[in-house]
Structures are given as structure tokens and as C-alpha cells.
Amino acid sequence: MKNKYLYIETFGCQMNVHDSEQMAVLLADIGYKLVENSQKADLILINTCSIREKAEQKAFSELGRLMKLKEKNPNLIIGFAGCLAQHLGVKVHSRVKNVDLVFGTHNIHRLPEMITDIQKERKKITRIDFSSKIYSLNIFVPPSEGSLCAFVSIMQGCDNYCAYCVVPYLRGPEMSRTPGDILDEIQKLSRCGVKEVTLLGQNVNSYGKNLKHGSNFVSLIKKISDIDGIDRIRFTTSHPKDLSDELIDCFSRVPKLCEHIHLPVQSGSNSILKLMNRGYSTEEYLRKIDRLRSSCPKISITSDIIVGFPGETQKDYQETIDMMEKIRFDSVFSFKYSERKGTAAQKLQGKVTETEKRQRLKELQALQDRHTQEKNTELEESVQELLVEGRSKNSEQDMMGRTRSWKIVNFKGGPELIGKLVNVEITRGYLHSLRGKMIDR
Ligand code: SAH
Ligand code: SF4
Ligand code: F3S
């Protein structure tokens, strides 16, 4: 069989990255080899995101650019996948002519069959139906050679319906994989040399909700921690309303669980949190932060914040700033509110102007930069355990690893250290990374 070439461009979150990897595994079975050059490809897939308007614009501009390759190669197959494909369905075909395939987040497992059909008949295909079982969830992605870190999806979808968010509409209801499937996958990854796993889900804290045998997230973490060869466990994302005391205690009781939690707060104003349908108050959030810090003083805490949600007054915004001052996050991903079709927030009054959103975001980011820098400076002279991932981007002589708290450290060392756990003393804290000196292995 002649080799055919596949090029995939991925936008959006880690789940989309994982989905793209699974697509590549499925297509390898029908003879497609993944390449990094789109010019060479026989099949191009764009795996899209729809979380904010900007993500949509990026996906369409990339589609437009790649469609030009069809002028030179009419046999080229172009597919539009992921959350934006799920949202728009056939509308993609009317917006951009000559797209061969549009498929959504529950149809990944059908990819080989859809591509074979297109090769036979050159017809246009659209598949965006939802199913009660996501068949692609159990596709094993072998880690690339030398890879130490892997992502493992433990669930799909979301039932939370935060007022601003499209994810529940595009990924369907929450569904957890069985502990057996997850543990099998991690054991296999460990045999391939993986040392660190990050468990993925929109709301990992509620893992197991729809499983029959009463599995929950804490029991899953404990079982994973018994797997030989896995040194570090991480997870993302946690929803504050479902963060139990039992899970908080794992940070001090399960040695392999890394001391980092990403806990999106979204806003520091109770009236905005209510409009957002987040299911917790600022007081409850602060209590959870206190518990996390008293159970595990070294824990690093990161968050997501949206500015300019409909109805957000200057006072509400100031409450977010006050909360950030109280908590001092290690880092924050912050966004301007972006209106999404079909969400509850679309119907809310009190839209905030673009200029106001931009101003609030700028101020908030400046404050967070100050906190991040202060936190990183506080780490100077401390000893940190790193898992060495590879060469540093900054210098040939340097290696790079991550602390258990998820911070990047560059230090002098050779490639023989890749895959090893080493201890470094932090000599300098910068805004985006730390500098260290190796003290032992
Ligand atoms: N499931 C995760 C993350 C979902 S998306 C969670 O619940 O935390 C990642 C982040 O994008 C969200 O935390 C939120 O801060 C942001 N986001 C989602 N929808 C948005 C919108 N319409 N406009 C701006 N930011 C949004
Ligand atoms: Fe979106 Fe909320 Fe679900 Fe996160 S928890 S994916 S923000 S609806
Ligand atoms: Fe985007 Fe879908 Fe992820 S909307 S953030 S790719 S779940």
C-alpha cells in the first residue's frame, strides 16, 4: 500500500490535542502517516475550538489558507473537526466551498470509514450526531519516543452549563471512563516509559458520577498511585463546587500527587458568580483555598478569570481584584468575556463595552504578573524536585524540567538527565520560569 500523508492542525484545549492524537492513530490503520508539512499532505484535518469568538476566527482563517492547497492538488481531502465543527455542522459547507468532511466530537471513531467513503465517491460528509457512548475514548495513543509525560482522558463532556460556556453543547453530557480502562491505559503508558500522567476532564472532581460501581475521583487517584513506574500524577480541570475535603487531603497523603491545582474562580463577585451559574460563592471558594493551603502549604494554585461578563460593574470587577490580592495565585489565564450563541449569558442585559473589557483585562494581568513574579522570587534558595523533560529552549548547555508545582526550571546539565528526577536549588525566579543549580539526582 502506498503511503499517504496526513497533516493535522489543532486549536483549543488539551482535550482537542488528545483527540487529534487519536485521529492520527485511527488513520495510521488505513495507511496515513503523520507529517509536519501541509504541502505534502493527502489529507488535512483542522481540529477546531469554539470557546471564544477569536478561536472561531482562527479556525476559519486557517481553513481558508489550507483550502488554497486544493487548487494545486484536487485530490486533497480536507476535514473540519472538533467543537466548532460540532457547533456549525453543514453550515461549514455553505461558508467554505469544497470542504470534504465536517465531523463533531462524538464521531472521531468513524474517521477511517468516512475517509474511505470520500476516497470512493468524492462526496461531502457531515457527521455531528451525539451518542451515549464515545467510542474513541479508549483509543490508545502510544507516547512518542522518549516522552515522559502523557495526558489521559478520564471523562468527556460537561453537565455544568456555566452561563457563558459552549462546552456542554459541543461535547455532550458528562461521561466517565471506567477505572479499569483508565488503569489499563496508564499501565501501558508506564511500560512505554511514561513517568507523569495528567488526568483530563472538564470537571475531574465529579469523575464517576455516572458509573455504576460507585467509583470516585479520590479512589481513582489512589489506584493510579499504586502503578509502578508512574512518579507523578496531575489533573485538570477542577470545579470549585465539587472539590471535596477528601480530595484536598490527597495533596498531603498521596506522595505521587503533585502539589498544584488549577481551580478556575472566574470572578470575585457573588452576584456575577450567580449569573454565571457557577454554584459557589466567593466565601466558599476562599474557604477551599484556605483548606488547600493548610493541608499542603507548598501547593501552587492557578486559576481562570473572565472579565466583562454581562452585568459586571466596576464594583464587581474590583471585587475580583480584591480576591486576587487576598489569594495571590501562582498564575492565571484571564479572558475577555466572549458572547457565544445559544448560551444563557447571551440573553443577559448589561453588556460591557470592548474598551472596558480591554482595560479591565490589562489591569488584571499586570496585577497577576506582579504576583507571579513575587511567588517565583519567594522560591529562590529553595530546593525543588524536577522531572527533566529535555533541552532548554534558551541555551544549548541547559536542560529544562518542571517542578512538582508545575513551574519551568532551566539549569546547567546534559541530555543524560532526561527522564530523571533531580533536585535543584532555585537561584533566580523570573516571570515565566526559574533558574536552578543541580544539587543531586
Ligand atoms: N472546564 C473548565 C475549563 C473550560 S474552558 C472549567 O470549568 O474550568 C477554559 C476557560 O475558558 C474557562 O475556565 C473560562 O475562564 C474561559 N471561557 C469559557 N467560556 C468563555 C467565554 N464565553 N468567554 C470568555 N472566556 C470563556
Ligand atoms: Fe464550561 Fe463550566 Fe463545563 Fe467548565 S464547568 S466546561 S466552564 S460549562
Ligand atoms: Fe475549545 Fe472544545 Fe476545548 S470549545 S476549549 S476545544 S472542549
Side-chain angles (χ1 to χ4, degrees), residues 411-430:
F411 67 101
K412 210 170 258 348
E416 71 286 354
L417 296 173
I418 295 174
K420 303 270 177 337
L421 291 171
V422 304
N423 283 320
V424 294
E425 185 187 313
I426 302 302
T427 52
R428 190 72 193 266
Y430 300 101

Side-chain angles (χ1 to χ4, degrees), residues 195-208:
K195 301 219 148 94
E196 176 180 307
V197 287
T198 303
L199 311 176
L200 283 182
Q202 294 296 352
N203 178 12
V204 287
N205 306 157
S206 68
Y207 169 81

Side-chain angles (χ1 to χ4, degrees), residues 21-208:
E21 290 169 348
Q22 290 179 322
M23 292 178 200
V25 169
L26 283 172
L27 290 168
D29 284 346
I30 57 163
Y32 282 95
K33 193 171 176 296
L34 196 63
V35 288
E36 285 185 12
N37 177 356
S38 56
Q39 309 269 342
K40 221 174 144 183
D42 303 287
L43 167 59
I44 292 179
L45 297 176
I46 306 172
N47 195 6
T48 60
C49 171
S50 183
I51 199 86
R52 283 168 288 274
E53 199 182 339
K54 235 194 197 153
E56 293 198 3
Q57 287 162 355
K58 268 199 219 156
F60 272 109
S61 84
E62 196 50 19
L63 179 62
R65 191 181 74 81
L66 292 167
M67 287 307 289
K68 295 209 179 79
L69 296 173
K70 267 204 156 187
E71 290 162 17
K72 278 190 250 156
N73 174 10
N75 289 327
L76 174 64
I77 300 174
I78 296 197
F80 200 70
C83 290
L84 182 55
Q86 182 70 49
H87 175 51
L88 294 175
V90 284
K91 287 191 204 137
V92 176
H93 294 295
S94 45
R95 195 159 153 180
V96 181
K97 298 271 168 287
N98 295 327
V99 176
D100 299 279
L101 170 65
V102 176
F103 66 104
T105 52
H106 282 210
N107 283 280
I108 295 171
H109 63 289
R110 293 204 171 114
L111 195 47
E113 161 205 322
M114 295 188 288
I115 297 296
T116 314
D117 284 353
I118 293 172
Q119 282 166 338
K120 264 194 243 146
E121 296 182 47
R122 289 305 317 188
K123 60 179 180 186
K124 284 196 174 126
I125 295 182
T126 310
R127 277 266 167 86
I128 55 161
D129 47 307
F130 277 139
S131 51
S132 55
K133 184 172 179 333
I134 303 170
Y135 297 92
S136 58
L137 271 179
N138 283 336
I139 296 168
F140 181 70
V141 177
S144 52
E145 208 176 311
S147 249
L148 303 166
C149 309
F151 289 91
V152 177
S153 273
I154 62 165
M155 63 208 297
Q156 248 290 18
C158 182
D159 292 338
N160 287 313
Y161 292 92
C162 300
Y164 49 81
C165 184
V166 283
V167 171
Y169 307 95
L170 305 181
R171 295 252 165 195
E174 194 179 298
M175 278 185 253
S176 298
R177 289 175 71 194
T178 65
D181 286 344
I182 296 167
L183 295 170
D184 277 356
E185 177 169 336
I186 298 177
Q187 261 147 3
K188 261 198 211 165
L189 288 168
S190 163
R191 286 197 290 273
C192 299
V194 164
K195 301 219 148 94
E196 176 180 307
V197 287
T198 303
L199 311 176
L200 283 182
Q202 294 296 352
N203 178 12
V204 287
N205 306 157
S206 68
Y207 169 81

Side-chain angles (χ1 to χ4, degrees), residues 65 159 174 273 287 344 380 437:
R65 191 181 74 81
D159 292 338
E174 194 179 298
L273 284 176
R287 266 201 300 278
E380 289 174 8
K437 195 170 81 193

Side-chain angles (χ1 to χ4, degrees), residues 13 15 50-53 158 160 162-167 201-203 237-240 262-266 278 303-307 333-340 343:
C13 63
M15 294 189 202
S50 183
I51 199 86
R52 283 168 288 274
E53 199 182 339
C158 182
N160 287 313
C162 300
Y164 49 81
C165 184
V166 283
V167 171
Q202 294 296 352
N203 178 12
T237 300
S238 303
H239 195 303
H262 185 66
L263 196 63
V265 64
Q266 312 297 0
R278 287 290 288 177
S303 200
D304 292 348
I305 295 178
I306 298 174
V307 296
F333 296 106
S334 47
F335 312 97
K336 286 184 287 184
Y337 167 71
S338 169
E339 184 172 289
R340 311 311 294 131
T343 59

